[in-house]
Amino acid sequence: MHSESLNSINNLDVDVAIIGAGPSGAIAASLLHQQGKKVLVLEKQHFPRFSIGESLLPCCMQFIAQAGMLDAVEQAGFQFKNGAAFRYQDQYTTFNFTDKFTAGPGTTFQVQRGQFDKLLADTAAKQGVNIHYGHTVTQVDLHADPVLQVTDNNGTEYQVNAKFILDASGFGRVLPRLLQLEKPSNLPSRSAIFTHIEDNIDDPTFDRNKILISVHPQHKDIWYWLIPFSNNRCSIGVVGEPHLLQHLEGTLAQQLFSIVNQEPGLKRLLANANIVQECATLKGYSANVSTLATNQFALLGNAGEFLDPVFSSGVTIAMQSAAMAVESLLKQLNGEKVDWQQDYAEPLMKGVNTFRTYVQAWYDGRFQDVIFYQQGNPTIKQMICSILAGYAWDGDNPFVAESERRLNTIVELCRETAA
């Protein structure tokens, strides 16, 4: 791992300080390093570390390729992924991501994030990126050029002088906390309970190449993810508003499987499953901020806004934001004028808001009606498939450009036909 000796750390001068070595931080660091910029990545934790968000979208692959990491990812033995499957009661439907409206990769991987995130960070380090693990950013001063106060594993404090800060800290949300940028999400508060299992699935019809999204048979705003990995393991989780899950009793594992067993398809698939990771819960995870970027900092991925795990958009938004922020940042570092609101925040939010449209419509039932509609127009399915594959920034796709209006039109058609 490329890292400076802790004994040599005094004050450091860099072009860009990146907070967090997860996917957005690693991608941004690699892209900046390719252009000769001096980058320092400050990561509070030590890798590998557990994280959810394990089902990548095909759109991610273009950013992985740009960062020179594609060979490493393709050779790592991750579970191949070519689409998504959805189940509600006796309805089952699939989306093949290669049959989509938007050009670009149509396949990707399902990954255990501890291994995946470490692979990206290690690859960036091999390229020459400097990463400090176990280093916590405690203060940020933006009165002139950005100055970060950092504490290492041993409690030693030092200062980083940077021309710009990228916050890739994910749910740590370092800059939003330190700069009082946080504001409430407009999405309802929801909770997730999740774990990893040795699945022992013996059903020959089960497609390990797809994430399976199942809907609770009585409560359509409760849903489950089942993400197969390449080692006979899966990530399993349930998501719902807190009042829908609070009646569950026992340990987290007992709570999780009591509600998993309420969905007959999952109960059958996971009859022989064993838990291999301590169950965890995430509550009130949706987040928002008052400012995404200025001429001194930019927030990437979950550090800026996190919507919901239902369409696995988190890592895609993280990588998309990294690529977009780096494009603007390189211009600024090279002396060009950048309007961060117009050049970064607004273009990024076009895709985020596209995802938001479909997240909200999933929970109010409209998008579920579309997903399970069996007589749909193939072209419309391709357009929706593109969004599910992560291409939420494709303005040529009518379901991106006019997401709410187009969605409502097709919802009306589905409901009229069903009636």
Side-chain angles (χ1 to χ4, degrees), residues 351-368:
V352 173
N353 287 331
T354 297
F355 280 126
R356 187 195 318 277
T357 296
Y358 295 98
V359 167
Q360 291 173 325
W362 172 266
Y363 285 104
D364 67 30
R366 288 177 296 151
F367 196 40
Q368 292 190 32

Side-chain angles (χ1 to χ4, degrees), residues 181-323:
L181 302 176
E182 295 188 292
K183 72 175 189 178
S185 170
N186 61 1
L187 295 171
S189 177
R190 294 190 174 90
S191 298
I193 308 173
F194 49 89
T195 190
H196 284 183
I197 55 174
E198 188 175 82
D199 59 78
N200 296 313
I201 295 173
D202 56 11
D203 183 343
T205 67
F206 179 62
D207 188 351
R208 299 192 74 90
N209 295 337
K210 293 178 176 65
I211 181 176
L212 174 62
I213 303 293
S214 302
V215 181
H216 191 281
Q218 282 83 46
H219 303 284
K220 292 185 72 175
D221 49 355
I222 295 178
W223 64 275
Y224 313 81
W225 76 72
L226 185 66
I227 302 170
F229 300 132
S230 58
N231 56 354
N232 190 40
R233 294 188 175 186
C234 284
S235 174
I236 176 72
V238 61
V239 176
E241 291 188 34
H243 72 275
L244 296 171
L245 303 180
Q246 65 186 8
H247 66 282
L248 301 173
E249 298 179 352
T251 64
L252 272 181
Q254 290 168 334
Q255 292 177 38
L256 174 59
F257 275 88
S258 71
I259 197 161
V260 164
N261 287 334
Q262 293 173 23
E263 203 290 298
L266 287 177
K267 181 179 181 180
R268 176 177 50 79
L269 278 177
L270 303 180
N272 300 313
N274 300 308
I275 293 176
V276 294
Q277 170 86 33
E278 185 177 356
C279 285
T281 185
L282 194 59
K283 299 180 179 180
Y285 47 71
S286 296
N288 204 348
V289 290
S290 57
T291 304
L292 271 176
T294 70
N295 63 356
Q296 294 179 300
F297 70 84
L299 309 181
L300 308 182
N302 294 350
E305 180 162 11
F306 181 71
L307 297 173
D308 192 272
V310 65
F311 302 125
S312 306
S313 62
V315 175
T316 298
I317 293 173
M319 292 186 177
Q320 179 82 39
S321 64

